[in-house]
Amino acid sequence: QVQLVESGGGLVQPGGSLSLSCSVSGRLFTISFRGWYRQAPGKQREFLASINDGGFTNYADSVKGRFTISRDNAKNTVNLQMNSLKSEDTAVYYCNIGGTESMNSDYVDYWGQGTQVTVSS
């Protein structure tokens, strides 16, 4: 029943900014992970940022100081503010939620369809 939908991607010039949003519908019994990943052509999917229940954040070195992850529980969204964008940030960006669907059930990962971010002059 859980569905994730990313939005906010597009074309931006180097040095510009974009704000991505992951809309979460449905519920998990427990949530163990909330985060953003990206995948560029010919590369593996890479971790970018995560945020836990207490609001503690973790960032990959490549985006630290430029990207900010946040949660809006009232809107059921996980957001990623991206500043000072570079051409190497060009990729498909994915939201990821991990947890369990019921008591004593196995851990599951949920992914959105992705949103394209292109940084080019």
Side-chain angles (χ1 to χ4, degrees):
Q1 64 173 347
V2 174
Q3 185 177 18
L4 310 180
V5 179
E6 301 96 334
S7 62
L11 175 65
V12 65
Q13 293 185 347
S17 298
L18 282 175
S19 181
L20 306 183
S21 181
C22 172
S23 179
V24 182
S25 62
R27 279 196 166 198
L28 287 172
F29 185 72
T30 63
I31 296 177
S32 300
F33 183 88
R34 303 175 183 88
W36 284 90
Y37 290 73
R38 70 185 179 192
Q39 188 166 22
K43 296 184 178 181
Q44 294 189 24
R45 191 167 297 186
E46 65 171 327
F47 165 80
L48 297 176
S50 65
I51 184 167
N52 70 7
D53 289 344
F56 184 84
T57 57
N58 187 35
Y59 296 95
D61 288 341
S62 61
V63 304
K64 191 174 297 182
R66 299 190 298 123
F67 292 10
T68 303
I69 189 171
S70 62
R71 296 169 58 200
D72 188 333
N73 290 335
K75 298 179 180 179
N76 276 315
T77 61
V78 182
N79 306 306
L80 187 69
Q81 177 65 45
M82 306 186 295
N83 299 325
S84 302
L85 286 163
K86 309 171 182 178
S87 60
E88 52 262 44
D89 293 319
T90 296
V92 178
Y93 284 68
Y94 297 92
C95 179
N96 175 232
I97 305 293
T100 59
E101 296 178 314
S102 64
M103 185 172 60
N104 300 322
S105 64
D106 292 337
Y107 182 90
V108 291
D109 269 328
Y110 291 92
W111 297 88
Q113 83 289 348
T115 186
Q116 176 71 48
V117 172
T118 302
V119 185
S120 180
S121 59

